[in-house]
Amino acid sequence: MADRVRVGVLISGRGSNMASLIAASREADCPYEIVLVASNNPEAAGLAIAQQAGIATFAHPHKGMKRAEFDSMIDGALRSAGVQLIALAGYMRILSAEFITGWQGRILNIHPSLLPLYRGLDTHQRAIEAGDAEAGCSVHVVTPELDDGPVIAQARVPILPGDTPDSLAGRILAEEHRIYPEALAQMARKLR
Ligand code: GRF
């Protein structure tokens, strides 16, 4: 098999999507490998999961640093690791336009809504409050506008009577774990 595309994953928290990307990367025919997991939160639970999987990690708190300065540090870590494609997986920090431009078309994000609906935070609560019949998740290419950029994969789930933001989030998360590895693999195949 041809060389695998080198992926860097950015996380801020529990890292369940990152774990699903790692699990898929262990399949023999997966077109990507994860070479670095980086975080703006040294306490992110996902860092330990990555380390247990034998993946290099980089963590530095963003507090006290200018956005451009912090992003340039992350950029350096990714480039030193030979990363070719970035997957944001619960990375709770807005990336500077400079960073995004430097990786044009090579950053993916998973967002828990049916984009273009509900960009930003509290997506599950907003979908329930709007009385929507369905919710879901989207994988999109990252552009300088928040939660914008071409959607390359989407999954839908029903919103059920009595759903809370947590119950809905759980139903959607299972779909996130299914579609993100597929979308990342699809993107990696294009870069190979
Ligand atoms: C997920 O719901 C993802 O869609 C959103 O942040 C959450 C991250 O969860 N961007 P995890 O850290 O992957 O478990």
Side-chain angles (χ1 to χ4, degrees):
M1 153 181 250
D3 284 351
R4 296 181 189 224
V5 172
R6 296 173 69 82
V7 170
V9 183
L10 301 188
I11 64 168
S12 298
R14 70 188 163 181
S16 72
N17 275 288
M18 174 211 70
S20 76
L21 299 179
I22 293 174
S25 77
R26 305 295 200 217
E27 300 293 325
D29 59 349
C30 185
Y32 67 83
E33 63 178 318
I34 297 173
V35 296
L36 182 70
V37 171
S39 182
N40 63 322
N41 172 16
E43 308 299 320
L47 289 170
I49 300 172
Q51 284 156 5
Q52 277 158 22
I55 295 170
T57 59
F58 173 87
H60 197 288
H62 62 259
K63 208 162 177 241
M65 286 178 83
K66 293 206 169 97
R67 190 177 301 281
E69 191 189 355
F70 184 78
D71 283 2
S72 139
M73 186 182 67
I74 295 285
D75 184 77
L78 292 163
R79 293 199 190 272
S80 310
V83 164
Q84 299 166 283
L85 182 59
I86 298 172
L88 307 183
Y91 188 62
M92 300 305 286
R93 185 159 168 82
I94 292 174
L95 290 163
S96 58
E98 290 73 18
F99 181 95
I100 294 169
T101 310
W103 290 90
Q104 204 163 23
R106 286 175 177 252
I107 311 175
L108 295 185
N109 182 39
I110 179 101
H111 183 74
S113 81
L114 294 171
L115 289 173
L117 290 175
Y118 312 124
R119 298 183 168 108
L121 298 175
D122 302 324
T123 53
H124 310 103
Q125 187 175 344
R126 286 155 69 198
I128 291 170
E129 281 173 5
D132 294 351
E134 284 187 321
C137 50
S138 309
V139 178
H140 67 97
V141 180
V142 172
T143 56
E145 287 297 311
L146 182 66
D147 298 330
D148 202 9
V151 171
I152 61 168
Q154 213 161 45
R156 295 170 178 272
V157 303
I159 299 183
L160 302 176
D163 256 340
T164 62
D166 279 354
S167 64
L168 179 57
R171 194 174 306 125
I172 293 174
L173 193 64
E175 293 301 307
E176 295 183 32
H177 296 165
R178 187 177 63 78
I179 68 167
Y180 205 6
E182 287 174 9
L184 185 61
Q186 181 192 322
M187 187 63 123
R189 274 187 209 102
K190 284 191 192 156
L191 291 180
R192 271 217 309 216

